[in-house]
Amino acid sequence: MRVVLVSGVFLYVASIFLFTDRNCSSSEFLHSSRFTSTSQFGHDHSSPTNLSHLLFGLLGSQQAWHYRKEYIESWWRPNRTRGYLFLDVAPTGDDLLPWSSSSPPYRVSDDITQLIEETKHVAPIMARMVHGIMEVFREEHEGVRWVVMGDDDSIFFVDNMVDVLGRYDHTKYYYLGGQSEYLLSNHWYSFNQAFGGAGFILSYPLAKAMSKYVGTCLRRYPFLRSADQITMVCISDVGVTLTPLKGSHQIDLRGDISGLLSSHPKAPLMSLHHLDAADPIFPSMDIFQSVHHLMKAAELDQSRMLQQVICYNRPTNWSFSISWGYSVHIYENIFPRSHLQLPIETFQPWGVTPKDPPYYLLNTRFPTNDSCEAPHVFFLENVEKMNKNEILTTYSRSLPRGLKACSYSGNHSADYISRIEVYSPRRKRIEVRS
């Protein structure tokens, strides 16, 4: 990977060879070895996992789908992605009918009124969502290895999901998913719970077991108010615990989440949720424009999405933090990777802010107006294929930093930089590191 900086005053092309550092190279690693289990369900279970092995069950409502369908259509691949959208009632309205071929095929959720009345369930909508596990499982079995449950505003990065799931033995019981970023959410429900908006994933054998147990489980736990918690305790009763996935993001945060997305953990990005509860992730764009803009980079290379690369230009004492496909930060100081890997706390906690920290299930660093610590921030402007070997991502300055140069490291101001060009290989990056 290499970087080109462009001045806002005149075309200033600076070839900074900081990416020749072996720690910043984009060298590939060998794919993790694949298991070779014996076929258990009449299929070849030793073949590499691909998109056809994933079955999606998306839970939504007819009312919300009028405006949320853009989330799903941003990543859904018609005639390639398998799965269904489960609505509470049949769709109506000229904006929904005829049903769009860009959307998943829909089903109307089962009427479980009798079960709700028998058990006096405290959260009928949550019970319907849990019941959806059984409903999606019964739809189709041929070749399914993983059942992925999500919401109608879940954004999935399916190529990365295929790569990550290919590392697990789908013939065994697996319950995978992301935890909440908000510490109290995990405390209120469970630190062993996958949060469904980020998507939880069941291996085929576990989905099969759960499909038989859902009715019994809903009758056993009519006092639980969270679909994700009900699912977790049901799976726990079957004898399985959560395998956390760091790339699955519930986004239980408010406000500006750019600090989190600019310092993504070293794991493939698998999902984003609750984007309508946060600020648009790109300046001067609305929520849906931002989602489609991000997916332009994902369409060319999901393996590098949000993967943080940290490098240095010693002559100017600058540190670079690149979140591929999203943002670039320039610091007028040399910071260790351990510092730059901490997200800047640009966001606020989900719900009521506790009196005292900690607030999050991750370490953060505070925003600052210290010119030696505050970054110059650039966001994705464009992404394009250059040739058969390279992808060019261009990042433009969002706002002037408005601070003097850092005198501590030599007064080498980066104010004149208006655009940054990053060239990266087009080959897939299976594993990532700083």
Side-chain angles (χ1 to χ4, degrees):
M1 204 185 293
R2 68 181 187 276
V3 176
V4 176
L5 309 179
V6 182
S7 164
V9 180
F10 59 93
L11 258 178
Y12 178 91
V13 179
S15 296
I16 298 179
F17 296 101
L18 46 116
F19 285 90
T20 58
D21 187 314
R22 63 183 179 84
N23 291 315
C24 302
S25 68
S26 48
S27 58
E28 299 297 325
F29 290 77
L30 293 177
H31 197 296
S32 55
S33 59
R34 302 185 179 95
F35 61 88
T36 54
S37 58
T38 304
S39 177
Q40 189 175 348
F41 306 106
H43 306 292
D44 179 10
H45 288 273
S46 63
S47 62
T49 297
N50 61 55
L51 183 56
S52 71
H53 295 134
L54 278 58
L55 177 63
F56 289 85
L58 306 171
L59 279 297
S61 69
Q62 189 267 161
Q63 182 178 3
W65 188 249
H66 288 272
Y67 63 91
R68 282 187 166 181
K69 62 181 180 179
E70 285 198 55
Y71 286 121
I72 304 301
E73 290 182 351
S74 72
W75 60 267
W76 187 264
R77 299 175 183 176
N79 301 318
R80 293 186 59 198
T81 319
R82 298 173 65 178
Y84 303 90
L85 170 70
F86 290 85
L87 298 173
D88 51 349
V89 296
T92 58
D94 293 340
D95 59 331
L96 296 187
L97 296 175
W99 192 254
S100 172
S101 60
S102 298
S103 297
Y106 76 87
R107 298 288 187 270
V108 176
S109 296
D110 289 353
D111 183 353
I112 58 171
T113 303
Q114 184 176 346
L115 184 151
I116 298 299
E117 292 176 349
E118 288 176 1
T119 62
K120 296 181 172 58
H121 205 290
V122 298
I125 294 176
M126 300 294 106
R128 170 194 160 234
M129 296 175 73
V130 176
H131 199 265
I133 298 173
M134 179 183 73
E135 295 171 36
V136 67
F137 181 81
R138 75 185 178 206
E139 286 289 341
E140 51 183 295
H141 296 176
E142 184 67 29
V144 173
R145 296 182 179 182
W146 301 96
V147 175
V148 183
M149 302 299 297
D151 291 350
D152 55 1
D153 60 343
S154 299
I155 298 171
F156 291 118
F157 296 81
V158 294
D159 293 339
N160 285 343
M161 296 180 76
V162 167
D163 289 338
V164 170
L165 293 175
R167 303 171 189 171
Y168 294 91
D169 187 340
H170 60 273
T171 67
K172 297 180 179 179
Y173 279 22
Y174 272 108
Y175 165 46
L176 305 102
Q179 298 163 291
S180 173
E181 297 84 1
Y182 184 44
L183 185 62
L184 281 182
S185 290
N186 297 280
H187 171 70
W188 290 331
Y189 300 108
S190 175
F191 285 88
N192 290 318
Q193 171 190 298
F195 282 71
F200 65 85
I201 306 170
L202 308 179
S203 60
Y204 180 90
L206 179 56
K208 183 177 183 180
M210 280 294 295
S211 70
K212 298 177 180 178
Y213 181 57
V214 162
T216 300
C217 183
L218 288 173
R219 288 180 169 85
R220 178 175 292 179
Y221 299 106
F223 52 88
L224 294 179
R225 297 181 177 275
S226 163
D228 298 336
Q229 188 179 28
I230 298 170
T231 300
M232 183 271 295
V233 297
C234 293
I235 291 174
S236 180
D237 288 349
V238 175
V240 182
T241 56
L242 176 68
T243 299
L245 296 175
K246 288 187 176 182
S248 295
H249 299 285
Q250 177 73 1
I251 310 294
D252 280 346
L253 304 169
R254 297 288 186 180
D256 177 9
I257 63 171
S258 64
L260 175 68
L261 302 183
S262 295
S263 297
H264 190 270
K266 281 293 176 285
L269 174 63
M270 296 183 67
S271 66
L272 296 171
H273 182 232
H274 276 162
L275 291 186
D276 55 356
D279 296 341
I281 60 176
F282 289 106
S284 304
M285 294 185 185
D286 64 26
I287 295 171
F288 296 120
Q289 288 172 335
S290 292
V291 169
H292 288 289
H293 192 55
L294 186 72
M295 294 307 291
K296 289 178 183 177
E299 288 170 4
L300 292 187
D301 188 351
Q302 290 194 9
S303 69
R304 286 181 172 80
M305 282 303 304
L306 303 192
Q307 297 305 294
Q308 189 182 23
V309 177
I310 298 169
C311 295
Y312 306 95
N313 185 39
R314 299 291 178 177
T316 56
N317 290 318
W318 289 353
S319 300
F320 287 77
S321 174
I322 300 173
S323 175
W324 194 93
Y326 180 63
S327 70
V328 176
H329 290 180
I330 300 178
Y331 296 84
E332 295 178 5
N333 204 348
I334 299 296
F335 287 107
R337 288 180 170 84
S338 58
H339 177 76
L340 298 180
Q341 287 169 352
L342 298 176
I344 301 174
E345 196 174 318
T346 57
F347 39 81
Q348 293 84 47
W350 183 264
V352 178
T353 303
K355 181 180 178 181
D356 300 306
Y359 306 137
Y360 311 108
L361 200 65
L362 63 153
N363 295 316
T364 62
R365 52 192 165 107
F366 294 114
T368 177
N369 287 324
D370 186 323
S371 59
C372 294
E373 296 184 16
H376 298 260
V377 180
F378 304 77
F379 286 102
L380 179 71
E381 179 183 274
N382 190 41
V383 57
E384 59 182 308
K385 298 177 184 177
M386 293 299 292
N387 50 52
K388 67 178 181 180
N389 297 318
E390 285 187 323
I391 295 174
L392 167 63
T393 48
T394 305
Y395 306 81
S396 60
R397 184 184 290 274
S398 58
L399 292 170
R401 194 177 66 148
L403 300 173
K404 62 182 181 181
C406 175
S407 58
Y408 174 77
S409 57
N411 288 310
H412 296 293
S413 174
D415 285 344
Y416 70 93
I417 304 299
S418 64
R419 295 173 68 246
I420 299 174
E421 297 178 349
V422 177
Y423 296 82
S424 58
R426 286 182 60 181
R427 64 182 183 274
K428 179 183 290 187
R429 193 176 196 178
I430 300 299
E431 296 186 19
V432 293
R433 61 177 180 173
S434 285

